[in-house]
């Protein structure tokens, strides 16, 4: 539960309920696009849940079926009532059955999810859900775009043949995180925050405590990904021509892991208990199994 919203999952169905409106009502001056999916408040809930992951832990992967969504009369909703949740669940299952019948006729491309794989709540830092949900208000376009890209990367990764596109979606999230780090540097008084300074910021807030070496004078923000990203997005560049993207499966996995933690810190200004636990293990004050 979060203020004006909830998320429910069981082996048969998963759904979220939030109070809110569309992007158009939030900002009528946004660029024209036909590729709308989650509303601002739906994305806020999904992003807050994703941010509850822990370092080197399980992932909360979402594949929203926005075409199944419907509106409820907020004046009649009591989201703290189990009876209300049961009624909404029944409505969602009914809508899914209707849509499944249509898909059977038209053979539409759809997610391969059948029975949901559920994790134990203890696998995640769900006690931080209200903190993340609050930190995502008001809407920050860059953060929302970055979290949306990570969600899309997870969706694409469900199909091995789309892991290149999943990695490309992570590049969007990477660029979003860089912009937010630049903004943090400006808040600290840096007039022209460069990629080099951004990498030093990452070292100061994430890596220094673990005794990792300081970045060199030319090391850039996620610089190890730079040439790879150029060659992936540009078939012909100063690096040459390439008929394939020079990617490994782990590129998506590492960026998805690291950028989730980056956004969590950027939004709240603090690390979770999982970071401190890993640091304690590194310093020898806690056993790995503790």
């Amino acid at each position: 539960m979060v203020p004006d919203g909830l998320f429910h999952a069981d082996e048969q169905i998963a759904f979220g309920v939030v109070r809110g409106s569309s992007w158009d009502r939030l900002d009528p001056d946004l660029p024209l696009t036909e590729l709308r999916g989650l509303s601002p408040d739906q994305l806020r809930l999904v992003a807050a849940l994703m941010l509850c992951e822990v370092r080197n832990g399980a992932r909360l992967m979402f594949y929203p079926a926005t075409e199944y969504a419907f509106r409820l009369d907020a004046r009649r909703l009591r989201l703290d009532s189990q009876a209300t949740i049961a009624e909404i669940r029944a409505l969602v299952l009914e809508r899914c059955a209707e849509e499944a019948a249509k898909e059977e006729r038209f053979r539409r491309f759809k997610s391969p999810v059948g029975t949901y794989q559920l994790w134990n709540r203890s696998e995640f830092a769900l006690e931080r859900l209200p903190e993340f949900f609050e930190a995502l208000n008001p809407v920050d376009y860059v953060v929302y775009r970055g979290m949306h890209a990570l969600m899309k990367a997870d969706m694409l990764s469900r199909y091995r043949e789309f892991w290149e596109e999943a990695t490309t979606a992570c590049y969007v999230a990477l660029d979003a995180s860089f912009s937010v780090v630049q903004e943090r540097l400006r808040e600290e008084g840096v007039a022209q925050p460069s990629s080099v300074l951004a990498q030093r910021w990452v070292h100061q807030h994430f890596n220094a405590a673990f005794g990792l070496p300081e970045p060199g004078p030319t090391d850039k923000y996620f610089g190890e990904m730079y040439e790879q990203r150029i060659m992936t997005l540009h078939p012909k560049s100063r690096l040459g021509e390439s008929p394939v993207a020079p990617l490994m499966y782990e590129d998506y996995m590492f960026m998805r892991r690291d950028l989730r933690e980056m956004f969590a810190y950027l939004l709240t200004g603090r690390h979770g208990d999982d970071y401190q636990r890993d640091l304690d293990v590194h310093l020898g004050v806690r056993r790995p199994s503790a």
Side-chain angles (χ1 to χ4, degrees), residues 38 159 168 196 210:
L38 296 178
Y159 307 91
T168 301
V196 171
F210 288 89

Side-chain angles (χ1 to χ4, degrees), residues 2 18 42 113 118 142 284:
V2 294
V18 290
Q42 290 169 337
V113 169
L118 302 179
V142 178

